[in-house]
Amino acid sequence: MKITCNVIQDLLPSYLDGICSEDSCIIIEDHLNICSDCRKKLEDLKNPVPFPHAADNVKAKNPLKK
């Protein structure tokens, strides 16, 4: 059975967190050895893009003030 990139990419966060089973890790690593797209996705997960907090951009409001 061929494991698709979609399946591997679904597993990458768990793989990165170290919570995959040993069998899953072997399948993922074998796939990563031959697939540059999935290796890129893994690198992207390791280096997330900074995202400003919404609270930093909005002035505090008092919802109870009339």
Side-chain angles (χ1 to χ4, degrees):
M1 176 178 168
K2 182 180 184 315
I3 307 292
T4 65
C5 289
N6 287 337
V7 172
I8 296 298
Q9 291 174 14
D10 285 347
L11 293 171
L12 287 178
S14 297
Y15 174 77
L16 193 58
D17 290 342
I19 58 174
C20 283
S21 69
E22 185 177 336
D23 290 342
S24 294
C25 285
I26 291 169
I27 291 168
I28 293 166
E29 290 166 359
D30 286 346
H31 183 87
L32 291 172
N33 285 330
I34 61 170
C35 182
S36 61
D37 290 338
C38 288
R39 281 195 306 270
K40 170 101 172 70
K41 290 282 187 182
L42 180 61
E43 288 306 312
D44 290 346
L45 287 172
K46 288 180 181 178
N47 302 309
V49 176
F51 188 79
H53 296 302
D56 294 343
N57 298 326
V58 178
K59 293 185 178 187
K61 294 182 181 179
N62 186 347
L64 300 178
K65 186 177 179 181
K66 289 187 177 185

Short mmCIF file of all heavy atoms in Angstrom, two decimals:
data_model
loop_
_atom_site.label_atom_id
_atom_site.label_comp_id
_atom_site.label_asym_id
_atom_site.label_seq_id
_atom_site.Cartn_x
_atom_site.Cartn_y
_atom_site.Cartn_z
N MET A 1 0.85 -1.19 0.00
CA MET A 1 0.00 0.00 0.00
C MET A 1 0.89 1.25 0.00
O MET A 1 1.77 1.40 0.84
CB MET A 1 -0.90 -0.01 1.24
CG MET A 1 -1.74 1.19 1.38
SD MET A 1 -2.78 1.01 2.85
CE MET A 1 -3.38 2.63 3.00
N LYS A 2 0.67 2.13 -0.95
CA LYS A 2 1.43 3.37 -1.03
C LYS A 2 0.83 4.40 -0.08
O LYS A 2 -0.37 4.64 -0.09
CB LYS A 2 1.40 3.88 -2.47
CG LYS A 2 2.22 5.13 -2.67
CD LYS A 2 2.13 5.59 -4.11
CE LYS A 2 2.99 6.78 -4.43
NZ LYS A 2 2.99 7.87 -3.52
N ILE A 3 1.67 4.99 0.72
CA ILE A 3 1.24 6.04 1.63
C ILE A 3 1.38 7.37 0.88
O ILE A 3 2.47 7.72 0.41
CB ILE A 3 2.09 6.07 2.92
CG1 ILE A 3 2.12 4.71 3.59
CG2 ILE A 3 1.60 7.16 3.86
CD1 ILE A 3 0.82 4.25 4.17
N THR A 4 0.31 8.12 0.77
CA THR A 4 0.33 9.38 0.03
C THR A 4 0.94 10.51 0.86
O THR A 4 1.01 10.43 2.09
CB THR A 4 -1.09 9.79 -0.40
OG1 THR A 4 -1.85 10.08 0.78
CG2 THR A 4 -1.76 8.71 -1.22
N CYS A 5 1.33 11.56 0.16
CA CYS A 5 1.86 12.75 0.83
C CYS A 5 0.82 13.34 1.78
O CYS A 5 1.19 13.84 2.86
CB CYS A 5 2.28 13.78 -0.20
SG CYS A 5 3.76 13.34 -1.13
N ASN A 6 -0.44 13.29 1.42
CA ASN A 6 -1.49 13.83 2.30
C ASN A 6 -1.49 13.13 3.65
O ASN A 6 -1.65 13.77 4.69
CB ASN A 6 -2.86 13.71 1.64
CG ASN A 6 -3.07 14.70 0.52
OD1 ASN A 6 -2.42 15.73 0.47
ND2 ASN A 6 -3.95 14.37 -0.40
N VAL A 7 -1.34 11.82 3.63
CA VAL A 7 -1.32 11.06 4.89
C VAL A 7 -0.08 11.42 5.70
O VAL A 7 -0.16 11.68 6.91
CB VAL A 7 -1.39 9.54 4.62
CG1 VAL A 7 -1.18 8.74 5.89
CG2 VAL A 7 -2.71 9.17 3.95
N ILE A 8 1.07 11.47 5.03
CA ILE A 8 2.32 11.82 5.72
C ILE A 8 2.21 13.22 6.32
O ILE A 8 2.57 13.44 7.48
CB ILE A 8 3.52 11.71 4.76
CG1 ILE A 8 3.73 10.27 4.29
CG2 ILE A 8 4.79 12.27 5.42
CD1 ILE A 8 4.04 9.27 5.38
N GLN A 9 1.70 14.15 5.55
CA GLN A 9 1.59 15.52 6.04
C GLN A 9 0.61 15.64 7.21
O GLN A 9 0.80 16.48 8.09
CB GLN A 9 1.23 16.47 4.90
CG GLN A 9 2.38 16.61 3.92
CD GLN A 9 2.05 17.41 2.69
OE1 GLN A 9 1.04 18.11 2.63
NE2 GLN A 9 2.89 17.31 1.68
N ASP A 10 -0.40 14.79 7.24
CA ASP A 10 -1.31 14.75 8.39
C ASP A 10 -0.58 14.27 9.64
O ASP A 10 -0.91 14.68 10.76
CB ASP A 10 -2.50 13.83 8.12
CG ASP A 10 -3.54 14.44 7.19
OD1 ASP A 10 -3.47 15.65 6.93
OD2 ASP A 10 -4.40 13.68 6.71
N LEU A 11 0.40 13.39 9.45
CA LEU A 11 1.13 12.81 10.58
C LEU A 11 2.31 13.65 11.04
O LEU A 11 2.82 13.44 12.15
CB LEU A 11 1.63 11.40 10.21
CG LEU A 11 0.56 10.34 10.00
CD1 LEU A 11 1.18 9.07 9.43
CD2 LEU A 11 -0.16 10.05 11.31
N LEU A 12 2.76 14.59 10.22
CA LEU A 12 3.96 15.35 10.55
C LEU A 12 3.89 16.08 11.90
O LEU A 12 4.88 16.06 12.64
CB LEU A 12 4.31 16.32 9.43
CG LEU A 12 4.89 15.69 8.17
CD1 LEU A 12 5.16 16.76 7.11
CD2 LEU A 12 6.15 14.90 8.46
N PRO A 13 2.78 16.73 12.27
CA PRO A 13 2.76 17.38 13.59
C PRO A 13 2.98 16.38 14.74
O PRO A 13 3.72 16.66 15.68
CB PRO A 13 1.37 18.02 13.66
CG PRO A 13 1.00 18.25 12.23
CD PRO A 13 1.57 17.06 11.49
N SER A 14 2.36 15.22 14.64
CA SER A 14 2.55 14.20 15.68
C SER A 14 3.97 13.67 15.67
O SER A 14 4.56 13.41 16.72
CB SER A 14 1.56 13.05 15.48
OG SER A 14 0.24 13.51 15.61
N TYR A 15 4.53 13.51 14.48
CA TYR A 15 5.91 13.07 14.34
C TYR A 15 6.85 14.08 14.98
O TYR A 15 7.75 13.72 15.74
CB TYR A 15 6.24 12.88 12.86
CG TYR A 15 7.68 12.55 12.57
CD1 TYR A 15 8.18 11.27 12.78
CD2 TYR A 15 8.54 13.52 12.07
CE1 TYR A 15 9.50 10.96 12.51
CE2 TYR A 15 9.86 13.22 11.80
CZ TYR A 15 10.34 11.95 12.02
OH TYR A 15 11.66 11.64 11.76
N LEU A 16 6.63 15.34 14.71
CA LEU A 16 7.46 16.41 15.26
C LEU A 16 7.34 16.47 16.78
O LEU A 16 8.33 16.73 17.47
CB LEU A 16 7.03 17.74 14.64
CG LEU A 16 7.95 18.93 14.85
CD1 LEU A 16 9.34 18.66 14.31
CD2 LEU A 16 7.37 20.15 14.17
N ASP A 17 6.16 16.20 17.31
CA ASP A 17 5.94 16.20 18.76
C ASP A 17 6.44 14.92 19.43
O ASP A 17 6.42 14.82 20.65
CB ASP A 17 4.46 16.40 19.08
CG ASP A 17 3.98 17.81 18.78
OD1 ASP A 17 4.82 18.72 18.65
OD2 ASP A 17 2.75 17.99 18.65
N GLY A 18 6.84 13.93 18.62
CA GLY A 18 7.37 12.69 19.18
C GLY A 18 6.31 11.77 19.74
O GLY A 18 6.60 10.98 20.64
N ILE A 19 5.09 11.83 19.21
CA ILE A 19 4.03 10.99 19.75
C ILE A 19 3.54 9.92 18.78
O ILE A 19 2.55 9.25 19.05
CB ILE A 19 2.84 11.84 20.26
CG1 ILE A 19 2.26 12.71 19.15
CG2 ILE A 19 3.27 12.69 21.44
CD1 ILE A 19 0.99 13.45 19.55
N CYS A 20 4.25 9.76 17.67
CA CYS A 20 3.89 8.70 16.71
C CYS A 20 4.42 7.36 17.21
O CYS A 20 5.42 7.30 17.93
CB CYS A 20 4.51 8.98 15.34
SG CYS A 20 3.65 10.23 14.41
N SER A 21 3.76 6.31 16.78
CA SER A 21 4.27 4.97 17.10
C SER A 21 5.58 4.74 16.35
O SER A 21 5.91 5.45 15.39
CB SER A 21 3.24 3.92 16.69
OG SER A 21 3.14 3.86 15.27
N GLU A 22 6.31 3.73 16.76
CA GLU A 22 7.56 3.39 16.09
C GLU A 22 7.32 3.05 14.62
O GLU A 22 8.08 3.46 13.74
CB GLU A 22 8.23 2.23 16.81
CG GLU A 22 9.60 1.89 16.25
CD GLU A 22 10.28 0.77 17.04
OE1 GLU A 22 9.96 0.58 18.22
OE2 GLU A 22 11.15 0.10 16.44
N ASP A 23 6.24 2.30 14.36
CA ASP A 23 5.92 1.94 12.97
C ASP A 23 5.62 3.18 12.13
O ASP A 23 6.06 3.29 10.98
CB ASP A 23 4.72 0.99 12.93
CG ASP A 23 5.05 -0.39 13.47
OD1 ASP A 23 6.24 -0.74 13.57
OD2 ASP A 23 4.09 -1.13 13.79
N SER A 24 4.86 4.12 12.69
CA SER A 24 4.55 5.36 11.96
C SER A 24 5.82 6.16 11.69
O SER A 24 5.99 6.71 10.60
CB SER A 24 3.56 6.22 12.75
OG SER A 24 2.31 5.58 12.84
N CYS A 25 6.70 6.22 12.67
CA CYS A 25 7.96 6.96 12.49
C CYS A 25 8.78 6.37 11.34
O CYS A 25 9.34 7.12 10.53
CB CYS A 25 8.79 6.93 13.78
SG CYS A 25 8.18 8.01 15.07
N ILE A 26 8.82 5.06 11.25
CA ILE A 26 9.57 4.40 10.17
C ILE A 26 8.96 4.75 8.82
O ILE A 26 9.68 5.10 7.87
CB ILE A 26 9.61 2.88 10.39
CG1 ILE A 26 10.48 2.57 11.61
CG2 ILE A 26 10.12 2.15 9.16
CD1 ILE A 26 10.39 1.12 12.09
N ILE A 27 7.64 4.69 8.73
CA ILE A 27 6.96 5.01 7.47
C ILE A 27 7.21 6.47 7.09
O ILE A 27 7.51 6.78 5.93
CB ILE A 27 5.45 4.72 7.59
CG1 ILE A 27 5.22 3.21 7.68
CG2 ILE A 27 4.67 5.33 6.42
CD1 ILE A 27 3.81 2.83 8.07
N ILE A 28 7.10 7.37 8.06
CA ILE A 28 7.30 8.79 7.80
C ILE A 28 8.74 9.06 7.36
O ILE A 28 8.98 9.75 6.37
CB ILE A 28 6.94 9.63 9.04
CG1 ILE A 28 5.43 9.54 9.31
CG2 ILE A 28 7.38 11.09 8.88
CD1 ILE A 28 5.02 10.05 10.68
N GLU A 29 9.70 8.50 8.08
CA GLU A 29 11.10 8.73 7.74
C GLU A 29 11.45 8.15 6.38
O GLU A 29 12.21 8.77 5.61
CB GLU A 29 11.99 8.16 8.84
CG GLU A 29 11.90 8.98 10.11
CD GLU A 29 12.49 8.31 11.34
OE1 GLU A 29 12.98 7.17 11.24
OE2 GLU A 29 12.45 8.95 12.41
N ASP A 30 10.92 6.98 6.06
CA ASP A 30 11.15 6.40 4.72
C ASP A 30 10.60 7.33 3.64
O ASP A 30 11.24 7.56 2.62
CB ASP A 30 10.51 5.02 4.60
CG ASP A 30 11.26 3.94 5.36
OD1 ASP A 30 12.42 4.18 5.77
OD2 ASP A 30 10.67 2.85 5.54
N HIS A 31 9.43 7.88 3.89
CA HIS A 31 8.82 8.79 2.92
C HIS A 31 9.63 10.08 2.80
O HIS A 31 9.85 10.59 1.70
CB HIS A 31 7.37 9.09 3.32
CG HIS A 31 6.66 9.95 2.34
ND1 HIS A 31 6.00 9.45 1.24
CD2 HIS A 31 6.51 11.31 2.28
CE1 HIS A 31 5.47 10.44 0.55
NE2 HIS A 31 5.76 11.59 1.16
N LEU A 32 10.07 10.61 3.93
CA LEU A 32 10.84 11.86 3.92
C LEU A 32 12.16 11.70 3.15
O LEU A 32 12.65 12.67 2.57
CB LEU A 32 11.12 12.34 5.35
CG LEU A 32 9.90 12.84 6.13
CD1 LEU A 32 10.28 13.10 7.57
CD2 LEU A 32 9.30 14.08 5.49
N ASN A 33 12.70 10.50 3.15
CA ASN A 33 13.95 10.24 2.42
C ASN A 33 13.78 10.39 0.91
O ASN A 33 14.75 10.67 0.21
CB ASN A 33 14.50 8.86 2.74
CG ASN A 33 15.13 8.81 4.10
OD1 ASN A 33 15.66 9.79 4.59
ND2 ASN A 33 15.07 7.65 4.73
N ILE A 34 12.56 10.23 0.42
CA ILE A 34 12.35 10.28 -1.03
C ILE A 34 11.48 11.44 -1.49
O ILE A 34 11.35 11.68 -2.68
CB ILE A 34 11.74 8.96 -1.55
CG1 ILE A 34 10.38 8.70 -0.93
CG2 ILE A 34 12.69 7.79 -1.35
CD1 ILE A 34 9.60 7.56 -1.55
N CYS A 35 10.90 12.19 -0.57
CA CYS A 35 9.94 13.24 -0.94
C CYS A 35 10.40 14.61 -0.44
O CYS A 35 10.31 14.90 0.76
CB CYS A 35 8.56 12.90 -0.40
SG CYS A 35 7.31 14.11 -0.87
N SER A 36 10.84 15.44 -1.35
CA SER A 36 11.30 16.78 -0.97
C SER A 36 10.15 17.69 -0.54
O SER A 36 10.34 18.57 0.31
CB SER A 36 12.08 17.42 -2.11
OG SER A 36 11.27 17.56 -3.25
N ASP A 37 8.95 17.49 -1.09
CA ASP A 37 7.80 18.31 -0.69
C ASP A 37 7.45 18.10 0.78
O ASP A 37 7.20 19.06 1.51
CB ASP A 37 6.58 18.00 -1.56
CG ASP A 37 6.73 18.49 -2.99
OD1 ASP A 37 7.55 19.41 -3.22
OD2 ASP A 37 6.03 17.95 -3.86
N CYS A 38 7.45 16.86 1.22
CA CYS A 38 7.12 16.57 2.61
C CYS A 38 8.25 17.01 3.55
O CYS A 38 7.99 17.45 4.66
CB CYS A 38 6.79 15.09 2.79
SG CYS A 38 5.19 14.65 2.06
N ARG A 39 9.50 16.91 3.09
CA ARG A 39 10.62 17.43 3.89
C ARG A 39 10.46 18.93 4.08
O ARG A 39 10.70 19.46 5.18
CB ARG A 39 11.96 17.13 3.22
CG ARG A 39 12.45 15.72 3.41
CD ARG A 39 13.92 15.56 3.05
NE ARG A 39 14.26 16.02 1.72
CZ ARG A 39 14.22 15.27 0.63
NH1 ARG A 39 13.86 14.00 0.70
NH2 ARG A 39 14.57 15.78 -0.54
N LYS A 40 10.03 19.63 3.03
CA LYS A 40 9.80 21.08 3.12
C LYS A 40 8.68 21.38 4.12
O LYS A 40 8.79 22.30 4.93
CB LYS A 40 9.45 21.64 1.74
CG LYS A 40 8.96 23.06 1.73
CD LYS A 40 10.02 24.03 1.33
CE LYS A 40 9.50 25.44 1.12
NZ LYS A 40 9.08 26.13 2.31
N LYS A 41 7.60 20.60 4.06
CA LYS A 41 6.49 20.79 5.01
C LYS A 41 6.97 20.61 6.44
O LYS A 41 6.59 21.35 7.34
CB LYS A 41 5.36 19.81 4.74
CG LYS A 41 4.61 20.07 3.46
CD LYS A 41 3.64 21.20 3.63
CE LYS A 41 2.79 21.31 2.37
NZ LYS A 41 1.85 22.39 2.42
N LEU A 42 7.83 19.60 6.67
CA LEU A 42 8.35 19.36 8.01
C LEU A 42 9.20 20.54 8.46
O LEU A 42 9.08 20.99 9.61
CB LEU A 42 9.17 18.07 8.03
CG LEU A 42 9.78 17.69 9.38
CD1 LEU A 42 8.69 17.47 10.42
CD2 LEU A 42 10.66 16.46 9.24
N GLU A 43 10.04 21.07 7.59
CA GLU A 43 10.84 22.24 7.93
C GLU A 43 9.96 23.45 8.23
O GLU A 43 10.25 24.22 9.15
CB GLU A 43 11.84 22.56 6.82
CG GLU A 43 12.98 21.56 6.72
CD GLU A 43 13.72 21.36 8.02
OE1 GLU A 43 14.09 22.38 8.67
OE2 GLU A 43 13.93 20.20 8.41
N ASP A 44 8.89 23.61 7.47
CA ASP A 44 7.95 24.70 7.72
C ASP A 44 7.31 24.58 9.10
O ASP A 44 7.11 25.58 9.79
CB ASP A 44 6.85 24.74 6.65
CG ASP A 44 7.37 25.19 5.29
OD1 ASP A 44 8.51 25.71 5.21
OD2 ASP A 44 6.64 24.99 4.30
N LEU A 45 7.00 23.35 9.50
CA LEU A 45 6.42 23.13 10.82
C LEU A 45 7.42 23.42 11.93
O LEU A 45 7.05 23.87 13.02
CB LEU A 45 5.91 21.70 10.96
CG LEU A 45 4.64 21.35 10.19
CD1 LEU A 45 4.38 19.85 10.26
CD2 LEU A 45 3.46 22.12 10.72
N LYS A 46 8.69 23.17 11.66
CA LYS A 46 9.73 23.43 12.66
C LYS A 46 9.98 24.92 12.83
O LYS A 46 10.44 25.36 13.88
CB LYS A 46 11.05 22.76 12.24
CG LYS A 46 11.04 21.27 12.38
CD LYS A 46 12.38 20.72 11.93
CE LYS A 46 12.44 19.22 12.03
NZ LYS A 46 13.73 18.69 11.56
N ASN A 47 9.69 25.71 11.80
CA ASN A 47 9.94 27.15 11.82
C ASN A 47 8.66 27.91 11.51
O ASN A 47 8.51 28.46 10.42
CB ASN A 47 11.01 27.50 10.78
CG ASN A 47 12.30 26.76 11.01
OD1 ASN A 47 12.82 26.76 12.10
ND2 ASN A 47 12.80 26.11 9.99
N PRO A 48 7.73 27.96 12.45
CA PRO A 48 6.46 28.63 12.16
C PRO A 48 6.65 30.13 11.94
O PRO A 48 7.57 30.74 12.45
CB PRO A 48 5.63 28.36 13.41
CG PRO A 48 6.60 28.04 14.48
CD PRO A 48 7.81 27.46 13.80
N VAL A 49 5.77 30.69 11.16
CA VAL A 49 5.77 32.13 10.87
C VAL A 49 5.20 32.85 12.08
O VAL A 49 4.13 32.49 12.57
CB VAL A 49 4.92 32.42 9.61
CG1 VAL A 49 4.84 33.92 9.36
CG2 VAL A 49 5.48 31.68 8.42
N PRO A 50 5.90 33.88 12.57
CA PRO A 50 5.36 34.63 13.71
C PRO A 50 4.04 35.30 13.33
O PRO A 50 3.89 35.82 12.24
CB PRO A 50 6.42 35.68 14.00
CG PRO A 50 7.56 35.42 13.12
CD PRO A 50 7.17 34.38 12.12
N PHE A 51 3.10 35.25 14.22
CA PHE A 51 1.79 35.84 14.00
C PHE A 51 1.49 36.76 15.17
O PHE A 51 1.48 36.31 16.32
CB PHE A 51 0.73 34.75 13.89
CG PHE A 51 -0.61 35.27 13.48
CD1 PHE A 51 -0.87 35.57 12.15
CD2 PHE A 51 -1.61 35.45 14.41
CE1 PHE A 51 -2.10 36.06 11.76
CE2 PHE A 51 -2.85 35.93 14.03
CZ PHE A 51 -3.09 36.23 12.70
N PRO A 52 1.23 38.03 14.91
CA PRO A 52 0.96 38.94 16.03
C PRO A 52 -0.35 38.57 16.71
O PRO A 52 -1.30 38.14 16.07
CB PRO A 52 0.85 40.31 15.35
CG PRO A 52 0.55 40.02 13.93
CD PRO A 52 1.15 38.68 13.62
N HIS A 53 -0.35 38.72 18.01
CA HIS A 53 -1.57 38.43 18.77
C HIS A 53 -2.62 39.49 18.46
O HIS A 53 -2.30 40.68 18.34
CB HIS A 53 -1.29 38.42 20.28
CG HIS A 53 -0.35 37.34 20.69
ND1 HIS A 53 -0.61 36.00 20.45
CD2 HIS A 53 0.84 37.37 21.31
CE1 HIS A 53 0.37 35.29 20.92
NE2 HIS A 53 1.27 36.08 21.44
N ALA A 54 -3.83 39.07 18.33
CA ALA A 54 -4.92 39.99 18.03
C ALA A 54 -5.05 41.06 19.13
O ALA A 54 -5.36 42.21 18.85
CB ALA A 54 -6.23 39.24 17.88
N ALA A 55 -4.77 40.67 20.36
CA ALA A 55 -4.89 41.61 21.47
C ALA A 55 -3.88 42.75 21.35
O ALA A 55 -4.12 43.84 21.86
CB ALA A 55 -4.70 40.88 22.79
N ASP A 56 -2.77 42.50 20.68
CA ASP A 56 -1.76 43.55 20.51
C ASP A 56 -2.24 44.65 19.56
O ASP A 56 -1.74 45.76 19.61
CB ASP A 56 -0.46 42.95 19.97
CG ASP A 56 0.21 42.02 20.97
OD1 ASP A 56 -0.15 42.06 22.16
OD2 ASP A 56 1.07 41.23 20.54
N ASN A 57 -3.17 44.31 18.68
CA ASN A 57 -3.63 45.25 17.66
C ASN A 57 -4.93 45.94 18.01
O ASN A 57 -5.38 46.81 17.27
CB ASN A 57 -3.80 44.52 16.33
CG ASN A 57 -2.49 43.95 15.85
OD1 ASN A 57 -1.45 44.54 16.06
ND2 ASN A 57 -2.53 42.80 15.21
N VAL A 58 -5.55 45.58 19.10
CA VAL A 58 -6.85 46.13 19.47
C VAL A 58 -6.73 46.78 20.84
O VAL A 58 -6.20 46.19 21.78
CB VAL A 58 -7.92 45.01 19.52
CG1 VAL A 58 -9.26 45.57 19.94
CG2 VAL A 58 -8.01 44.33 18.16
N LYS A 59 -7.23 48.00 20.96
CA LYS A 59 -7.23 48.66 22.26
C LYS A 59 -8.26 47.99 23.15
O LYS A 59 -9.33 47.59 22.71
CB LYS A 59 -7.54 50.13 22.11
CG LYS A 59 -6.46 50.89 21.39
CD LYS A 59 -6.75 52.36 21.36
CE LYS A 59 -5.59 53.05 20.66
NZ LYS A 59 -5.66 54.48 20.71
N ALA A 60 -7.91 47.88 24.41
CA ALA A 60 -8.80 47.24 25.37
C ALA A 60 -10.09 48.05 25.50
O ALA A 60 -10.08 49.28 25.55
CB ALA A 60 -8.12 47.11 26.71
N LYS A 61 -11.19 47.34 25.54
CA LYS A 61 -12.48 47.98 25.73
C LYS A 61 -13.11 47.40 26.98
O LYS A 61 -12.92 46.24 27.31
CB LYS A 61 -13.39 47.70 24.53
CG LYS A 61 -12.91 48.33 23.25
CD LYS A 61 -13.87 48.05 22.12
CE LYS A 61 -13.36 48.65 20.83
NZ LYS A 61 -14.24 48.38 19.71
N ASN A 62 -13.87 48.21 27.63
CA ASN A 62 -14.57 47.76 28.82
C ASN A 62 -15.99 47.37 28.39
O ASN A 62 -16.82 48.24 28.16
CB ASN A 62 -14.60 48.87 29.87
CG ASN A 62 -15.20 48.39 31.17
OD1 ASN A 62 -15.80 47.32 31.23
ND2 ASN A 62 -15.05 49.18 32.22
N PRO A 63 -16.26 46.08 28.29
CA PRO A 63 -17.58 45.66 27.78
C PRO A 63 -18.73 46.00 28.72
O PRO A 63 -19.87 46.03 28.30
CB PRO A 63 -17.42 44.15 27.62
CG PRO A 63 -16.33 43.77 28.55
CD PRO A 63 -15.41 44.97 28.62
N LEU A 64 -18.42 46.28 29.98
CA LEU A 64 -19.50 46.57 30.92
C LEU A 64 -19.78 48.06 31.04
O LEU A 64 -20.75 48.47 31.67
CB LEU A 64 -19.14 46.01 32.30
CG LEU A 64 -18.92 44.49 32.34
CD1 LEU A 64 -18.51 44.05 33.73
CD2 LEU A 64 -20.17 43.75 31.89
N LYS A 65 -18.93 48.88 30.45
CA LYS A 65 -19.11 50.32 30.51
C LYS A 65 -20.22 50.76 29.54
O LYS A 65 -20.27 50.35 28.41
CB LYS A 65 -17.81 51.01 30.12
CG LYS A 65 -17.82 52.49 30.29
CD LYS A 65 -16.47 53.06 29.94
CE LYS A 65 -16.48 54.56 30.09
NZ LYS A 65 -15.18 55.14 29.73
N LYS A 66 -21.14 51.59 30.03
CA LYS A 66 -22.25 52.07 29.19
C LYS A 66 -21.93 53.40 28.61
O LYS A 66 -21.27 54.21 29.08
CB LYS A 66 -23.53 52.16 30.01
CG LYS A 66 -24.06 50.81 30.36
CD LYS A 66 -25.40 50.98 31.02
CE LYS A 66 -25.96 49.59 31.31
NZ LYS A 66 -27.27 49.63 31.84
#
